[in-house]
Amino acid sequence: MMDQHPGLELAHSFLIAAEELSFRRTAERLGIDQSALSRRIAKLEHQLGFQLFERTTRQVVLTPAGRSFYEAGAPLLAGYDRAVATARRVAQGKTGLLRVAYMAFAAIELMPRVVKRFRAANPAVELALRYLPTQEQKLALSEGDIDLGFMIGPFEHSDFDSRQLASDRLHVFMPRGHPLAARRSVAPRDLAGEDLLLGDMAEWEAYRSHLGEKFARAGVPVAPRQEASSTMALLGLVAAGFGITVYPRQLTGLIGTAIVSRPIADPAFHIETVLVRRRIDRAASVRRFIDCALDTVRPASAETKKRDAH
């Protein structure tokens, strides 16, 4: 017996022949002629060192060794076929694991809408959702710890592909009885001297940087009275009368009766949400998720622009 193991093509040909017990039908299933099949079986028998079939002019039967080899080999080949089919679905983006990170703003409205659409179209793909601030997402993407990230934009880098999904107007959130609540909109200068509540630098570094730049251009100094690490904590402080906060428009859907919001009347006071992947990552599931995200925001983009214009 030779040390070389038979290849899958030879083993597959044998298993089909063992099922059919007809070289003619086996050749038809394999799409080859009978002489080519006979050569494959002969080569396999030579490599194994024992006979697999007894052939006469009238019938084909398995030898005892051939029967044993078939009974052991059939499950192995079925497992191989399942492995190939599973890997093919992963390659097509129809199954597998997709790791998606999101920052606070995306968690309220955008990310859930995209995830709902993606799950409906790709039920076999497992989604692992993870909250990460924007700066941490960039590191996690570069190290391959996540596949996609909803983060604050813009983000331009040669190693990453970035798609803008939203540009949301910033609003001032304040207690219902606050003097600014009587206005339809608020100018940046109106916030000078107000008790400002902002997310802390550990969790909100990217947003604080963007917000600081916008206030600096408007000539308004930013000195938060109080910092907090979560959106709900900021809203709680606003409701308790500690001060006001600045947040994207979508938070208006979560505020209670004790809080009101007014848009900031300055076109610079918008915040972008982008979806980012590594350029080298061309997995089909990543492309499918990006397509779902773009399809999700397209119908709403015109309505958002119309609403922000008022």
Side-chain angles (χ1 to χ4, degrees), residues 7-29:
L8 282 173
E9 182 182 61
L10 300 183
H12 182 253
S13 298
F14 160 71
L15 292 173
I16 298 299
E19 290 177 3
E20 295 289 349
L21 293 179
S22 165
F23 273 41
R24 178 183 59 79
R25 290 194 300 270
T26 300
E28 290 175 354
R29 282 181 62 177

Side-chain angles (χ1 to χ4, degrees), residues 1 46 70 83 110 116 138 176 212 228 242 254 267 277 286:
M1 178 177 179
H46 177 70
Y70 170 74
L110 179 57
K116 181 180 179 180
K138 295 175 183 178
R176 181 165 292 277
F242 271 77
L254 298 182
R277 69 166 177 90
V286 170

Side-chain angles (χ1 to χ4, degrees), residues 16-64:
I16 298 299
E19 290 177 3
E20 295 289 349
L21 293 179
S22 165
F23 273 41
R24 178 183 59 79
R25 290 194 300 270
T26 300
E28 290 175 354
R29 282 181 62 177
L30 294 174
I32 60 177
D33 58 45
Q34 290 189 52
S35 60
L37 174 62
S38 296
R39 288 193 296 272
R40 287 185 185 181
I41 298 301
K43 183 176 180 180
L44 178 60
E45 289 176 332
H46 177 70
Q47 290 185 3
L48 293 174
F50 53 81
Q51 190 175 351
L52 296 169
F53 294 100
E54 294 282 0
R55 298 177 63 188
T56 69
T57 56
R58 301 182 62 182
Q59 64 178 347
V60 176
V61 296
L62 286 164
T63 65

Side-chain angles (χ1 to χ4, degrees), residues 110 153 163-168 249-250 271-274 297 304:
L110 179 57
R163 307 291 184 94
Q164 180 180 322
L165 299 182
S167 179
D168 291 304
R249 170 206 55 81
Q250 63 263 34
I271 196 77
E272 291 183 18
T273 300
V274 295
V297 301
T304 299

Side-chain angles (χ1 to χ4, degrees), residues 169-170 185-189 262-269:
R169 194 172 186 177
L170 294 178
S185 62
V186 178
R189 64 178 178 276
R262 297 292 181 266
I264 298 179
D266 186 319
F269 278 73

Side-chain angles (χ1 to χ4, degrees), residues 293-309:
L294 295 175
D295 289 341
T296 299
V297 301
R298 281 190 191 109
S301 59
E303 179 62 28
T304 299
K305 291 177 180 178
K306 179 179 177 182
R307 180 178 56 238
D308 286 350

